[in-house]
């Protein structure tokens, strides 16, 4: 079954430092991959998506992710963390992208903590 | 352009009761999915509706049921509530076309006493 694994339930960085959140996927077919962010008491906001086009995907708020098939990874990065980036981040995979109906399988999430 | 809206925002019920949660999709979207997010966990897929029919279902018991109306809005019903049903219930809407991402509402926080 398709799944995603997010390494590290918590990641702490200083403001201005590089952000790296790790996601590895398992899929028997080329997947669609997504990163979502969740702020306290809110729903999920789409940061970026990979749907088999360019392997380096740029998203909102300065985030980007690179799809690496050989490593089955889709890590999320941001060159310089801002205090407002503190939130929960979820990686998700679509198990059957060739069908018309897309359910998302989520990882367990990584909480990003940003210190001044 | 209104996004996905859910109601109510918070709800408190007791064990054995029944609950109905509501969702209005983003304008132009025709597909609605429901997810359950337990505290400290990632969202888990419950089911998806398109053209008023349940198209996919996750690993949830029959106590969880849903409906989609002609205007694409949707309801999630849960019967015989258990303590373990306490969670944030998220609605997501999208277009049925394959690569279109899902847009989420802010969720309904359901607490079971």
């Amino acid at each position: 079954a398709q799944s995603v694994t997010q390494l590290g339930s918590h990641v702490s960085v200083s403001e201005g430092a590089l952000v790296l959140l790790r996601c590895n996927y398992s899929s028997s077919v080329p997947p669609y991959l997504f990163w979502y962010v969740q702020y306290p008491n809110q729903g999920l906001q789409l940061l970026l998506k990979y749907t088999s086009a360019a392997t380096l995907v740029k998203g909102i708020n300065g985030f980007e992710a690179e799809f690496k098939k050989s490593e089955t990874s889709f890590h999320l990065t941001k060159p310089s963390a801002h205090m407002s980036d503190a939130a929960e981040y979820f990686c998700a995979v679509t198990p059957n992208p060739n069908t018309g109906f897309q359910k998302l399988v989520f990882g367990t999430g990584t909480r990003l903590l940003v210190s001044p | 352009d209104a996004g996905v809206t859910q109601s109510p925002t918070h709800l408190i019920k007791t064990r054995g009761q029944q609950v109905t949660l509501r969702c209005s999709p983003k304008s132009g979207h025709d597909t609605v999915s429901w997810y359950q997010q337990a505290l400290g966990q990632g969202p888990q897929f419950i089911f998806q509706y398109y053209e008023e029919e349940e198209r996919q279902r996750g690993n949830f018991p029959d106590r969880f049921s849903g409906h989609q109306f002609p205007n694409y809005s949707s309801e999630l019903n849960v019967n015989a509530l258990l303590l373990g049903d306490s969670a944030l219930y998220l609605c997501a809407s999208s277009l049925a076309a394959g690569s279109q991402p899902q847009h989420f509402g802010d969720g309904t926080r359901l607490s079971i006493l």
Side-chain angles (χ1 to χ4, degrees):
Chain A
Q2 285 78 5
S3 65
V4 292
T5 301
Q6 292 185 240
L7 297 176
S9 59
H10 292 79
V11 170
S12 295
V13 300
S14 299
E15 191 172 22
L18 171 71
V19 175
L20 171 60
L21 304 182
R22 299 178 186 274
C23 173
N24 288 89
Y25 69 90
S26 170
S27 178
S28 57
V29 298
Y32 290 169
L33 292 159
F34 305 84
W35 275 100
Y36 283 87
V37 61
Q38 186 175 36
Y39 297 99
N41 300 313
Q42 293 187 22
L44 303 175
Q45 180 183 8
L46 179 69
L47 282 176
L48 48 79
K49 63 176 182 177
Y50 167 77
T51 56
S52 73
T55 57
L56 182 61
V57 181
K58 295 187 182 298
I60 63 172
N61 301 339
F63 285 93
E64 63 181 38
E66 186 172 7
F67 174 73
K68 291 186 176 181
K69 183 178 179 181
S70 61
E71 299 178 7
T72 62
S73 69
F74 190 58
H75 302 330
L76 182 70
T77 61
K78 182 174 181 177
S80 177
H82 192 273
M83 295 295 291
S84 61
D85 294 327
E88 188 87 17
Y89 291 79
F90 291 95
C91 182
V93 64
T94 295
N96 297 299
N98 294 323
T99 66
F101 303 100
Q102 307 299 318
K103 76 172 187 180
L104 292 170
V105 176
F106 286 88
T108 53
T110 297
R111 181 167 298 278
L112 177 65
L113 307 170
V114 183
S115 56
Chain B
D1 180 21
V4 179
T5 58
Q6 293 187 242
S7 63
T9 55
H10 294 84
L11 204 50
I12 299 175
K13 292 286 188 179
T14 57
R15 283 179 296 175
Q17 286 189 311
Q18 177 266 342
V19 68
T20 298
L21 310 181
R22 295 176 175 82
C23 172
S24 292
K26 181 179 171 67
S27 178
H29 285 182
D30 56 10
T31 301
V32 173
S33 302
W34 287 92
Y35 293 82
Q36 180 195 65
Q37 186 179 19
L39 199 61
Q41 301 294 318
Q44 298 290 318
F45 175 76
I46 302 175
F47 43 52
Q48 184 178 81
Y49 278 84
Y50 172 71
E51 292 188 339
E52 302 179 51
E53 291 189 4
E54 183 182 293
R55 293 291 178 156
Q56 289 191 81
R57 189 179 183 91
N59 188 26
F60 279 81
D62 292 344
R63 298 187 297 109
F64 289 77
S65 63
H67 189 77
Q68 186 180 36
F69 298 94
N71 66 354
Y72 307 121
S73 67
S74 177
E75 290 181 349
L76 164 65
N77 300 292
V78 188
N79 295 322
L81 288 166
L82 304 174
L83 292 178
D85 295 332
S86 294
L88 180 67
Y89 288 85
L90 295 165
C91 172
S93 73
S94 59
L95 289 171
S99 66
Q100 300 306 309
Q102 296 184 19
H103 296 254
F104 284 80
D106 285 340
T108 294
R109 174 72 63 185
L110 176 63
S111 298
I112 311 301
L113 302 180

